[in-house]
Amino acid sequence: MVEFCPKCGTILIPKKDKEKILLMCNQCGYSKELKSGKGYKSRHRVEEDKKIKIMVMEPTTMDKEKITAHKELLQEYYEVLLETMEQEEMEQEEI
Ligand SMILES: [Zn+2]
């Protein structure tokens, strides 16, 4: 469920924009709307083996600095995404 920029291949970071959630590229400024809800809904917290699988997917040609930066981005990505999902669940419970 991690998405990459179609223009430059950078990982897209979710950003909140009022009611919408945008997936933003920090590299070239590309953004698209994140389809909120069902597909992204999961009660699971960040699963360790899922994270490891994403790491394995990274191109091995990357230098260490880039890999570290990428991991940090992934971490941020998941934190924001999970936070968003938790908030959506809370909002739904209020209705
Ligand atoms: Zn981009």
Side-chain angles (χ1 to χ4, degrees), residues 45-56 78:
R45 292 220 140 244
V46 180
E47 295 164 40
E48 282 305 313
D49 64 333
K50 199 176 272 181
K51 273 205 280 188
I52 291 160
K53 271 180 204 161
I54 291 160
M55 297 312 160
V56 170
Y78 276 107

Side-chain angles (χ1 to χ4, degrees), residues 5-10 12 25-30:
C5 177
K7 289 183 181 173
C8 68
T10 305
L12 296 176
C25 173
N26 288 337
Q27 205 69 32
C28 71
Y30 171 87

